[in-house]
Amino acid sequence: MTQSRDHGGNLDAAMARFGGTSNDWLDLSTGINPMPYPLPPIPQTSWEVLPRKTEMARLSNVAAKAYNTPARVIATSGAQGAIQIVPWLRAPGRAAVLAPTYNEHAAALRACGWQVDEVSKLDALAGADLAVVVNPNNPDGRRTTPDRLQALSQQVGLLIIDESFGDPEPDLSLAPQLEQDNVVILRSFGKFYGLAGVRLGFALAQGSLADRLADMVGPWPVSGPAIDIACQALADTNWQEQTIDWLAASSDRLDGMAQKAGWEVVGGTPLFRTYATPDATAAQNALAAHHVWSRIFPYSNSWIRLGLPKDDRWSQLEAAMEAATCK
């Protein structure tokens, strides 16, 4: 199954077609937390000098504690930066991606000469030279237990687990048990902390695989300000707990609104929800007429995905969904 590299966050295209300014629009086409972590003061020196090894090590140590992992944590330019590196971790062969999912995994592998099979069952990944599982999955929220991932790691050459949406569900993560030398776990900082512009992510791995990842990202993969922000946010357990509660309540509220509109809950995570509609394109257009932007997918005529609005923008979403229901 071949997919184009389409993404959420393409608000420019929405404005070009439906008008309005960025302030008018409620962009729910991504799964980024709309209530971001409050930025701490950033020392002037963080802007002026290259990050020192001690600062990079501090970031890795704080992240390892936050993810409760014995693995080495390598900072990357967003989870996307790690996805671009993955195809180069071994010579191209046969890759298998548990699909449908975030399309950059298959696209990045194909661009580097891999033969990629997109499969619908976890068992179909067995025997691949490289296998990819997004957990929890984007966009349908499919979840794979750590035990099943442990077993899968013994059946593939290299296992990539993308946990970009895993922060609200720590029990789902394989990170605390990551001792194998053929597994890479990807984490996103920007999604849960609502600071996608920081462009920070992490790759977790062990042994020579971790060494190779570190060599490939180079000595300064992230900025000094990103280090300062992330070190505070990753250690702020009070904010994390409050945010997990807010996300859970907000996603339940969104599910209720969707069901009232006659949409069926497909699944998702606390950061985004995916619904089955009679016609996804028609639903997206109806919402867009009220300056609410959503995400639809080339492989489904019915699925539409919505992120969460800020606390003061729920009324705009509710009005748009009511109007969409009437069409």
Side-chain angles (χ1 to χ4, degrees), residues 179-198:
E179 297 180 351
Q180 307 95 313
D181 60 3
N182 72 325
V183 176
V184 179
I185 294 176
L186 309 182
R187 300 293 298 234
S188 167
F189 175 80
K191 292 181 175 64
F192 176 69
Y193 293 95
L195 297 171
V198 171

Side-chain angles (χ1 to χ4, degrees), residues 40-243:
I42 298 174
Q44 183 67 25
T45 54
S46 293
W47 299 101
E48 296 174 346
V49 300
L50 291 169
R52 299 188 302 274
K53 289 183 178 180
T54 53
E55 291 300 294
M56 293 299 302
R58 177 168 71 100
L59 174 60
S60 294
N61 290 337
V62 171
K65 184 176 181 180
Y67 299 140
N68 190 28
T69 184
R72 185 173 171 188
V73 179
I74 296 99
T76 64
S77 178
Q80 185 64 40
I83 290 171
Q84 299 299 131
I85 291 172
V86 162
W88 303 99
L89 290 174
R90 59 177 295 169
R94 187 180 76 84
V97 178
L98 189 58
T101 194
Y102 182 52
N103 64 57
E104 282 292 331
H105 287 286
L109 288 161
R110 288 191 179 107
C112 295
W114 285 80
Q115 172 195 333
V116 181
D117 297 325
E118 297 182 57
V119 302
S120 60
K121 301 292 184 182
L122 190 74
D123 292 345
L125 298 172
D129 298 311
L130 185 154
V132 178
V133 178
V134 178
N135 192 42
N137 190 49
N138 172 18
D140 62 2
R142 177 188 57 231
R143 287 154 173 81
T144 307
T145 65
D147 287 347
R148 294 194 71 188
L149 292 169
Q150 288 273 28
L152 178 62
S153 71
Q154 300 175 30
Q155 301 174 299
V156 299
L158 181 61
L159 176 59
I160 310 300
I161 306 169
D162 185 343
E163 295 183 353
S164 288
F165 290 98
D167 293 75
E169 303 175 77
D171 291 343
L172 193 63
S173 177
L174 187 64
Q177 307 169 41
L178 182 52
E179 297 180 351
Q180 307 95 313
D181 60 3
N182 72 325
V183 176
V184 179
I185 294 176
L186 309 182
R187 300 293 298 234
S188 167
F189 175 80
K191 292 181 175 64
F192 176 69
Y193 293 95
L195 297 171
V198 171
R199 303 312 305 134
L200 176 63
F202 300 98
L204 285 57
Q206 289 280 18
S208 60
L209 186 57
D211 293 338
R212 183 157 172 74
L213 280 162
D215 287 343
M216 294 177 77
V217 301
W220 305 292
V222 297
S223 69
I227 294 172
D228 290 327
I229 294 167
C231 282
Q232 178 164 316
L234 289 164
D236 193 339
T237 56
N238 288 335
W239 184 90
Q240 294 159 17
E241 292 169 359
Q242 292 170 8
T243 297

